[in-house]
Every structure is written in C-alpha cells, then in structure tokens.
Amino acid sequence: MSRLLPTTVVGSYPQPDWLIDRDRLGDRLPPRVRARELWRVDERFLEQAQDDATLLAIRDMELAGVDVISDGEIRRESYSNRFATALEGVDLDHPGVALDRTGNENPVPRVVGPIRRTRPVEVRDVEFLRASTDRPIKITLPGPFTMTHQAQNDHYPDEESLTLAYAAAVNEEAHDLKAAGADVIQIDEPYLQARPDQARRYALEAIDRALDGIEGETVLHICFGYGHVVKNKPNGYSFLQELNSCAARQISIEAAQPRLDVSIISALPDKTIVLGVLDLSDGAPVESPPEVAARIRAALDHVSAERLVVAPDCGMKYLPRDVAFAKLRAMVGGAALVRAELGG
C-alpha cells in the first residue's frame, strides 16, 4: 500500500460460538491433525456456515478501518492444520506425536511418503474474500519449517529434506493464491523461535523456496505462540537478524505482550516491519489509541514510517469477538494519530 503506516491483521479473527465450540477450542493445544469435533454445524451445511461467518469477520475488519484484511481464517481449526492435512504423503488415520512449543505432546500428521500438493487448498478462500471486499487482501499459509516440526517424519532421511518438500508444496499453493487475487501472501513460521539451531541450518533455504517467484508483498510472521496458550514470552527473538536476507519483503513480529525491546528491528534494515501493537493475552485490556500510538512511536526510533506496518501481535481467534473488534478499532485509531503527526 502507498498509505503511510497501513494497518493489517496477522491472520485469524474470532469464530462465532454458533460455528465452533470455543470452550473446547480453548481447552486444548492448537490442533495439528483434523479436529472436526470442534465444529457445531452439521458437515452438510458447514461450508455455508463458514462463508456466513467469514463475511462477519470481513465486515468487522472493514468497519474497524483495517487497511489490509484477511478472511479471519474462519474455516480453519488452527492456522496450520487445514493446509498441512490436505497434502499427500501423510497418514492422518494413524497420527504421530511431536512436542509442541509448550513442551507438551500433541498428535501430529505422520509423514509416510513424499509430500505433494495434489489440489488447491485455500484458493476458494481467496476467491470468496476477493469477491467480498474492495480492500487489499492477505492470505496466510503455514511455513515449511513449522510444518516439519508439527509432524512425525517416518519417510524422509532428515528434517531438512522434509522441510524442502513442504516448501515446494507451499510455493505451488502460493502461486495459485496470487492468481486467485491475493494481494499479500503471508507465511507463518512461529517455530523459527522455538527451534533456532535447526532454523540456522536450513530454514532460510526453505523460506526462499516457498516464496520463489511470488510477486508483490510477501510476509514472514514469527511469534512466540498464541497469547492464550503461551503466557510468559521472552522480550527478544532468538532468530531474527538472519531473516534480513530471506525472500520475504516484510517481517511480522509481536511486540506488545512480550514488551519487546523494539530496538532489535534495527537488525532488519532491508525489510518492512509488521509491528505487533496489540496484546492478545487472556484478560489483557483493550488498548486506547494513544497507547497504540506510543508503541508505534517507539518503533519509529528504529525504522522509517515508510517501512512500518501496524498489526496485532498474532492471530486473534481466542479473543471474545467484541474485544477483538475493539482492539482493532484502537489499532486503527493509534495509527491515525501518528500518521497525522507525520503529516501522512
């Protein structure tokens, strides 16, 4: 976007209680295999219900004044499992197990053959979103490094080989999503922070493979996990400056809940920074526009306004919908305050 300090969302927005069992969703770790038991709607009517709920999310983002919107990831049980479980080469009937970034075991796809994408997974999501708004739109995909660490590898000789296979599948999907009308492609890679040693060995190659040939705005989102799941977050990133050389044009970081020392964004001089300015932890109060503005100003000591995008810390799916909407309104208001000060 040409607008100074544009606002966006990271991906997810709260799903309505009539669509998904939010109590069950919140009482478990984010699902890596399919979790159809979370949906309240009969499978015969589920797609129609998801369409209706997606429209609610779109209208909320528009009404809040967000510049670049998503579909709220309304059709997903988690940010990653819808795509990861649609690939060939995984056994979903006999899942494996992997340690979540919280250190707890979680059922995961078991890789038993070559990872291949045999069909578009999110193309209809983009087509629906594009037909439902005239604003710039973003779609998200789980990153190849993260999917590797959310799987049990019973086929490939090593993690690196599996990660590159996932990267090829992500790249095929990303090309189709661009063709379907996505303005911004975002890859979610939270496990870069949870597994920094492995990330240094092979993550950059996989990220670049996933984004190969993708024109326009591309974003890499890194975080410490949903605020609802991860209560205590470090105030610095373990894998950040290495990302200055990756193919993504924008790096999305959370800064509000972890009280991040935002001077670390100086380590990314060649990237646009998508700055998390909304604390999404349980019970966190709704920020005021001046509070958001103060967080933006702190970042402007280390990055130019032309290289800053304003966003929530992470996905908002675990928040009550009224709280999520109020926070988006505050975010937009805070950006407007700083924009006016800059004459933009």
Side-chain angles (χ1 to χ4, degrees):
M1 283 190 63
S2 59
R3 187 180 195 182
L4 199 64
L5 300 177
T7 56
T8 190
V9 288
V10 171
S12 65
Y13 194 71
Q15 294 148 307
D17 293 276
W18 51 259
L19 179 65
I20 206 163
D21 188 332
R22 292 180 57 82
D23 289 336
R24 293 181 72 177
L25 178 70
D27 286 344
R28 55 162 297 161
L29 292 171
R32 309 306 182 201
V33 294
R34 294 311 304 267
R36 292 182 177 87
E37 69 276 5
L38 293 175
W39 301 103
R40 295 187 187 273
V41 178
D42 186 287
E43 194 156 355
R44 294 173 298 167
F45 312 115
L46 183 57
E47 184 174 79
Q48 181 180 348
Q50 290 170 338
D51 286 351
D52 291 345
T54 298
L55 284 174
L56 292 176
I58 292 169
R59 298 296 171 252
D60 271 10
M61 293 180 215
E62 290 177 334
L63 187 59
V66 178
D67 295 310
V68 182
I69 69 172
S70 76
D71 67 344
E73 299 179 3
I74 297 298
R75 298 176 179 85
R76 307 187 196 184
E77 296 149 4
S78 79
Y79 71 96
S80 61
N81 75 329
R82 184 156 178 263
F83 183 77
T85 59
L87 301 175
E88 184 180 85
V90 297
D91 184 346
L92 302 178
D93 296 324
H94 306 91
V97 67
L99 291 180
D100 212 294
R101 58 183 303 159
T102 61
N104 296 302
E105 290 187 347
N106 205 2
V108 297
R110 191 166 63 90
V111 180
V112 295
I115 291 293
R116 293 193 182 96
R117 171 185 172 271
T118 60
R119 61 177 177 84
V121 181
E122 300 177 15
V123 164
R124 183 180 179 276
D125 305 0
V126 170
E127 291 172 343
F128 186 90
L129 176 57
R130 180 70 287 159
S132 302
T133 185
D134 58 2
R135 302 203 179 192
I137 60 173
K138 168 192 283 190
I139 193 72
T140 65
L141 284 166
F145 184 86
T146 291
M147 282 193 286
T148 292
H149 292 271
Q150 293 178 354
Q152 179 176 307
N153 177 21
D154 289 347
H155 175 75
Y156 286 88
D158 49 46
E159 291 176 347
E160 181 175 359
S161 301
L162 175 57
T163 303
L164 290 174
Y166 274 129
V170 170
N171 183 254
E172 290 176 8
E173 181 79 2
H175 277 281
D176 281 353
L177 298 179
K178 285 295 295 186
D183 298 297
V184 181
I185 301 287
Q186 176 177 301
I187 292 179
D188 294 329
E189 284 283 20
Y191 274 70
L192 294 178
Q193 301 310 309
R195 311 281 192 270
D197 292 338
Q198 294 98 316
R200 291 186 182 92
R201 293 203 305 271
Y202 54 84
L204 292 181
E205 181 183 1
I207 291 165
D208 289 354
R209 176 68 182 89
L211 294 175
D212 184 38
I214 304 301
E215 302 294 331
E217 292 297 341
T218 53
V219 185
L220 182 73
H221 174 65
I222 54 175
C223 68
F224 306 109
Y226 289 112
H228 171 73
V229 178
V230 183
K231 312 297 183 184
N232 299 311
K233 300 186 177 184
N235 61 0
Y237 278 90
S238 57
F239 188 81
L240 186 69
Q241 65 181 13
E242 296 89 343
L243 296 174
N244 191 58
S245 63
C246 79
R249 296 178 63 178
Q250 303 182 7
I251 305 298
S252 169
I253 61 173
E254 57 175 320
Q257 182 188 354
R259 303 294 185 261
L260 190 74
D261 177 359
V262 292
S263 67
I264 67 171
I265 62 179
S266 301
L268 299 169
D270 300 322
K271 303 300 182 185
T272 292
I273 305 300
V274 182
L275 183 73
V277 297
L278 298 177
D279 183 344
L280 307 182
S281 57
D282 290 346
V286 174
E287 291 85 353
S288 67
E291 287 174 322
V292 171
R295 293 170 183 174
I296 296 170
R297 293 189 199 100
L300 290 176
D301 289 336
H302 309 283
V303 63
S304 68
E306 291 76 17
R307 288 200 297 119
L308 191 63
V309 176
V310 181
D313 266 4
C314 195
M316 307 182 84
K317 70 181 299 170
Y318 291 102
L319 270 62
R321 182 180 167 196
D322 61 335
V323 173
F325 179 75
K327 282 179 172 281
L328 289 182
R329 288 288 297 267
M331 178 184 77
V332 170
L337 288 174
V338 180
R339 196 179 297 122
E341 295 167 1
L342 297 172

